[in-house]
């Protein structure tokens, strides 16, 4: 970590809002920054697709620019994109969704920010799976909210037990955060898990905030259960997704939230005071992604499935790593022996082998003996990485 990073994250200078101290040093950024100072690094760390966006999506962006579509859109989003999202998600999940149920945001990150910071407050408790995407807990805590983690484990494929969630609900519980497929585990929750949690939340008057950015990256013909297909109405749900992972549009920053019309009206006002509107030309790219040829998605799903299968085989051959079969996204989250510090292992792996992974404690409190491995890279890179990892692990004494 650079001196500048340390100063920003550790300074108690009174000029800064104390809420910033709830934001941890990003473990991913720390590893990637260190890797940037080294030669011959193989990245199993990056959480973005390695393929370019489809040609017709790129061309739609160029066409929009050339047509002068460089001004603001409506605050909720480009009307054509809102219509396309309503139609697409309505057909996919078998329910009526109107454009008034949708807010287009600057990536899913803004949608998550809006959802969590708009409803968190001192004394409000949020139930969050552990491990989980590193954004949730800090955003909840920034506004004084509290996080109650529900641990999951590699030996159970990091599945979330809905009864554990129900048992964790108390008088202070305000919302439940879900992420399926999961970052960092690649776990896909079955329909019965989602339905049980959503139904209990509705009965208790709790919000379910569901991060579904990997909703298309599901393998082995497994059914994908969105909260949208498991709730009776949208009154207590916020469902978030984006084009970033599905269409390799991560840098184009177009995401969205689907919720009740009342919630969207409130969040539109909040959105106007954060990013105002999402990128206009790239919203036209989103229209092209939904309305145009979607064979790209089928192709990348098959590519990721092959990479996943090979990665699982290699982890099985690696001493001290306990893997499983992830059902979606492009991550595997193998555990190391109990008591082993995954952060130390990740740093040593990078310095001594040139393979960059991400330590488990980036994603929660009960998974310090784990590593996140991304297979958003070629099988060739995965093979080369494990040609370094396996001999290194064979030399360790973690017992």
């Amino acid at each position: 970590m650079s001196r500048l990073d340390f100063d920003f994250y550790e300074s108690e200078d009174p000029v800064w809002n104390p809420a910033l101290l709830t934001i941890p040093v990003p473990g991913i950024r720390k590893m990637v920054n260190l890797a940037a100072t080294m030669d011959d690094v193989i990245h199993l760390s990056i959480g973005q697709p390695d393929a370019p966006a489809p040609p017709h999506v790129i061309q739609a962006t160029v066409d929009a620019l050339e047509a002068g579509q460089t001004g603001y859109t409506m605050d909720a989003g480009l009307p054509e994109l809102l219509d396309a999202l309503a139609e697409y998600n309505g057909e996919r999940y078998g329910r009526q969704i109107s454009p008034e149920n949708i807010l287009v945001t600057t990536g899913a990150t803004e949608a998550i920010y809006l959802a969590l910071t708009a409803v968190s407050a001192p004394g409000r408790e949020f139930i969050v799976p552990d491990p989980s995407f590193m954004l949730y807990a800090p955003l909840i805590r920034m506004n004084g909210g509290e996080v109650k983690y529900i641990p999951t484990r590699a030996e159970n494929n990091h599945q979330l037990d809905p009864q554990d969630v129900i048992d964790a609900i108390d008088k202070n519980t305000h919302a439940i955060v879900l992420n399926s497929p999961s970052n960092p585990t690649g776990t896909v929750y079955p329909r019965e898990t989602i339905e049980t949690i959503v139904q209990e939340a509705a009965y208790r008057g709790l919000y379910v905030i569901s991060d579904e950015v990997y909703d298309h990256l599901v393998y082995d013909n497994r059914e994908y259960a969105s909260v949208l297909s498991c709730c009776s109405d949208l009154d207590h749900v916020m469902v978030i997704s984006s084009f970033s992972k599905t269409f390799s549009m991560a840098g184009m920053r177009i995401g969205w939230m689907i919720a009740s019309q009342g919630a969207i009206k409130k969040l539109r006002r909040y959105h106007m005071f954060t990013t105002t509107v999402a990128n206009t030309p790239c919203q036209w790219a989103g229209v092209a992604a939904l309305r145009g040829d979607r064979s790209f998605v089928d192709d990348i799903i098959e590519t990721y499935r092959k990479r996943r299968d090979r990665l699982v085989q290699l982890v099985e051959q690696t001493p001290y790593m306990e893997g499983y079969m992830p059902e979606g996204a492009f991550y595997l989250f193998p555990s190391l022996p109990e008591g082993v510090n995954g952060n130390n292992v990740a740093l040593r792996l990078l310095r001594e082998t040139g393979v960059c992974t991400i330590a488990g404690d980036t994603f929660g409190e009960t998974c310090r003996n784990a590593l996140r491995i991304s297979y958003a890279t070629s099988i060739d890179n995965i093979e080369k990485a494990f040609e370094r990892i396996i001999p290194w692990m064979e030399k360790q004494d973690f017992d």
Side-chain angles (χ1 to χ4, degrees):
M1 180 167 49
S2 72
R3 181 74 241 173
L4 183 63
D5 286 338
F6 181 85
D7 288 345
F8 179 80
Y9 287 102
E10 303 302 326
S11 171
E12 296 186 7
D13 188 321
V15 72
W16 299 110
N17 184 337
L20 287 176
L21 296 177
T22 67
I23 304 175
V25 178
I28 296 173
R29 184 52 47 197
K30 180 172 67 175
M31 294 297 291
V32 171
N33 286 351
L34 177 58
T37 68
M38 301 171 56
D39 296 323
D40 190 28
V41 172
I42 301 173
H43 275 282
L44 301 182
S45 57
I46 306 300
Q48 69 174 359
D50 58 329
H56 70 285
V57 169
I58 295 171
Q59 189 59 50
T61 313
V62 174
D63 291 345
L65 287 165
E66 290 181 340
Q69 297 287 334
T70 55
Y72 298 129
T73 65
M74 298 290 289
D75 57 302
L78 183 74
E80 289 84 351
L81 180 56
L82 294 171
D83 288 341
L85 285 166
E87 179 183 320
Y88 178 77
N89 285 283
E91 289 179 358
R92 187 176 186 206
Y93 298 121
R95 70 177 310 130
Q96 185 67 37
I97 297 174
S98 77
E100 288 74 26
N101 292 122
I102 305 171
L103 174 64
V104 176
T105 57
T106 302
T109 299
E110 189 207 351
I112 294 167
Y113 174 86
L114 295 176
L116 291 175
T117 60
V119 300
S120 62
R124 292 182 175 181
E125 186 178 85
F126 291 70
I127 293 174
V128 179
D130 187 2
S132 61
F133 184 44
M134 62 183 185
L135 204 61
Y136 311 142
L139 291 178
I140 292 165
R141 290 170 177 150
M142 278 177 67
N143 283 16
E146 299 173 7
V147 177
K148 180 181 283 188
Y149 282 118
I150 305 296
T152 64
R153 302 188 66 82
E155 58 262 33
N156 298 323
N157 281 37
H158 287 287
Q159 283 292 338
L160 184 65
D161 186 336
Q163 191 59 50
D164 288 346
V165 174
I166 293 170
D167 291 344
I169 296 172
D170 61 30
K171 62 183 177 59
N172 297 318
T173 304
H174 188 70
I176 300 165
V177 179
L178 299 177
N179 176 213
S180 174
S182 164
N183 175 6
T185 67
T187 302
V188 177
Y189 299 149
R191 176 168 295 277
E192 53 267 29
T193 293
I194 301 291
E195 285 181 342
T196 300
I197 292 171
V198 168
Q199 289 171 9
E200 185 69 20
Y203 174 71
R204 305 270 193 123
L206 307 177
Y207 251 106
V208 173
I209 299 170
S210 184
D211 176 357
E212 302 184 359
V213 297
Y214 297 95
D215 56 352
H216 285 78
L217 303 186
V218 177
Y219 312 120
D220 307 320
N221 297 313
R222 181 178 295 273
E223 178 200 14
Y224 178 66
S226 168
V227 163
L228 290 172
S229 63
C230 296
C231 60
S232 58
D233 56 53
L234 300 178
D235 285 347
H236 290 92
V237 302
M238 298 182 190
V239 179
I240 294 158
S241 194
S242 81
F243 293 107
S244 295
K245 316 300 181 180
T246 305
F247 289 94
S248 290
M249 292 168 59
M252 300 170 84
R253 311 309 301 135
I254 303 296
W256 61 87
M257 181 193 300
I258 299 176
S260 69
Q261 292 186 24
I264 292 299
K265 284 180 180 178
K266 290 183 174 65
L267 291 171
R268 281 173 64 180
R269 186 168 55 199
Y270 192 11
H271 168 64
M272 289 177 66
F273 280 84
T274 51
T275 62
T276 307
V277 296
N279 182 304
T280 298
C282 292
Q283 290 191 62
W284 283 106
V287 175
L290 293 174
R291 301 283 196 207
D293 177 30
R294 294 199 290 265
S295 60
F296 171 86
V297 180
D298 295 332
D299 292 342
I300 62 164
I301 288 172
E302 181 59 18
T303 297
Y304 288 140
R305 186 196 62 76
K306 291 176 180 177
R307 294 174 181 178
R308 177 206 62 175
D309 291 351
R310 183 58 183 141
L311 176 59
V312 168
Q313 290 175 349
L314 291 166
V315 166
E316 287 176 350
Q317 298 168 22
T318 305
Y320 301 116
M321 277 191 183
E322 180 176 354
Y324 54 94
M325 183 64 74
E327 302 101 338
F330 38 61
Y331 306 108
L332 180 63
F333 199 72
S335 59
L336 301 165
E338 200 69 38
V340 173
N341 187 318
N343 190 57
N344 290 343
V345 172
L347 285 169
R348 288 185 58 208
L349 264 177
L350 178 56
R351 288 173 173 147
E352 297 173 26
T353 75
V355 177
C356 189
T357 60
I358 305 299
D361 64 3
T362 301
F363 305 98
E365 297 180 347
T366 64
C367 48
R368 299 181 187 278
N369 64 319
L371 300 172
R372 189 190 77 173
I373 298 174
S374 168
Y375 51 92
T377 187
S378 67
I379 287 182
D380 186 48
N381 278 342
I382 295 168
E383 298 270 7
K384 288 178 180 176
F386 276 83
E387 287 172 5
R388 303 179 187 185
I389 291 172
I390 291 175
W392 186 86
M393 282 290 196
E394 288 173 344
K395 297 175 184 176
Q396 306 310 305
D397 184 12
F398 292 143
D399 296 325

